[in-house]
Amino acid sequence: MLQGSSASDGSEKKRRRPLPLPKGNADMQPFTPDSSVVSDVIPSANYGDRAKDRAPDMILLHYTGMPDVEGALARLCTAGTDVSAHYVVLEDGRIVQCVPEAKRAWHAGASSWAGEEDINSCSIGVEIINRGHDWGYPEFPLRQIAAVIALCRGIMLRRNIPPHRVLGHSDVAPARKKDPGEKFPWHSLANSGVGHWVQPAPIVRGESLKLGSEGDDVRGMQEALKRYGYGIEVNGKYDGATMEVVTAFQRHFRPVRVDGVADTSTLTTLESLLASLMAETAAASR
């Protein structure tokens, strides 16, 4: 496992050792990286063309969810795994590019956002080395987050991607995914202009919507989540699918408590996000 930003000077050389080239990729055609912050190019065999030559207008952030960097790179780059990403951000801040931005990497899977279902065609996928929930889920090192911010800022500038189109895998696939998870510092990214964020409303006692609730309040919440972009059926029933979306929303925007219960804090934060998004969109259109 690569060391994080707190590694001692004695481990610096170890951390800076050449990246291993995944087995079977020695014959892959190298390419010129799209970003100046890329330190290494390890071409992946897994990519295709974007549907209808779609220009990417979204950045999708993931964690690798594997025990070590070598295994993650091998999986992302080796033919037959059917998974890839445009970029991989290591714990020590190095950035690897595996797929050219013009191509369609295979990172989102079955997913949707704002009514669009081919997320791979409209997005640039960034994998962040982190063991994830199944392997202890460590904190993200500061050096790694700084690299993510630098990479995303460059992509946003070159591709004219608005902050609210920087999302997590769990946002577009709430029934399947948890990454990058509640420990990911979205607020730090937003402070640097990457991603959409408002200060989460404090948790207070009060009424809440939860599994089994029905009625207009549930319908209103579902409509609000759908307006923001989440793929959710508006049926007035707090069913399992609704709970999964609320959980994903909390992981991103109210991470201090992730329980799938739409309490006052969750609902108020959602309202604030929608108001902020309207203001942001109006300002951009002027």
Side-chain angles (χ1 to χ4, degrees):
M1 193 68 181
L2 296 180
Q3 298 297 313
S5 59
S6 61
S8 65
D9 293 341
S11 64
E12 185 70 22
K13 291 182 179 179
K14 181 179 179 181
R15 192 171 62 239
R16 291 294 181 181
R17 71 186 187 277
L19 288 170
L21 189 65
K23 185 178 179 181
N25 272 12
D27 59 345
M28 290 300 299
Q29 187 66 32
F31 58 87
T32 302
D34 290 290
S35 172
S36 62
V37 298
V38 168
S39 60
D40 299 88
V41 172
I42 300 181
S44 175
N46 308 317
Y47 65 90
D49 293 327
R50 295 184 184 273
K52 301 179 181 178
D53 295 322
R54 172 69 187 274
D57 62 0
M58 175 190 293
I59 298 173
L60 198 62
L61 303 182
H62 311 251
Y63 64 42
T64 50
M66 296 185 68
D68 55 65
V69 63
E70 291 84 2
L73 282 169
R75 178 166 174 77
L76 289 165
C77 297
T78 303
T81 63
D82 292 336
V83 64
S84 62
H86 295 91
Y87 297 98
V88 183
V89 182
L90 278 62
E91 292 166 304
D92 64 4
R94 281 180 294 167
I95 299 172
V96 178
Q97 186 166 4
C98 302
V99 176
E101 288 183 9
K103 296 297 183 179
R104 181 180 184 271
W106 304 340
H107 57 98
S111 51
S112 67
W113 189 258
E116 189 161 17
E117 295 186 346
D118 186 0
I119 299 302
N120 281 335
S121 282
C122 72
S123 65
I124 292 172
V126 178
E127 288 278 358
I128 302 163
I129 296 294
N130 184 288
R131 295 193 300 274
H133 290 81
D134 293 339
W135 298 93
Y137 195 30
E139 301 286 343
F140 295 86
L142 294 177
R143 183 176 299 191
Q144 185 180 45
I145 295 303
V148 171
I149 290 171
L151 174 64
C152 289
R153 281 175 61 91
I155 296 171
M156 292 170 69
L157 183 62
R158 285 185 284 106
R159 299 286 181 179
N160 195 28
I161 296 175
H164 67 271
R165 295 281 288 181
V166 181
L167 299 164
H169 200 184
S170 60
D171 292 314
V172 302
R176 301 187 301 111
K177 297 297 180 178
K178 298 178 180 180
D179 56 312
E182 61 276 8
K183 290 185 179 180
F184 189 72
W186 288 104
H187 60 285
S188 295
L189 271 69
N191 287 341
S192 296
V194 178
H196 186 210
W197 179 263
V198 297
Q199 183 64 31
I203 295 175
V204 296
R205 292 185 178 182
E207 296 295 324
S208 61
L209 303 173
K210 55 189 175 182
L211 194 63
S213 298
E214 295 187 17
D216 291 341
D217 289 342
V218 175
R219 181 179 297 275
M221 178 196 69
Q222 292 170 330
E223 289 174 343
L225 287 165
K226 191 176 185 69
R227 283 200 307 275
Y228 195 76
Y230 286 94
I232 186 171
E233 181 183 0
V234 179
N235 57 16
K237 299 178 180 180
Y238 207 111
D239 50 20
T242 296
M243 185 175 180
E244 289 168 343
V245 173
V246 171
T247 300
F249 175 85
Q250 292 172 335
R251 285 193 195 281
H252 188 153
F253 296 108
R254 210 288 306 272
V256 68
R257 181 189 293 173
V258 180
D259 57 7
V261 175
D263 59 355
T264 300
S265 168
T266 301
L267 297 173
T268 302
T269 302
L270 174 57
E271 292 173 1
S272 298
L273 279 165
L274 284 170
S276 173
L277 179 59
M278 290 180 61
E280 179 184 294
T281 303
S285 64
R286 291 179 188 143

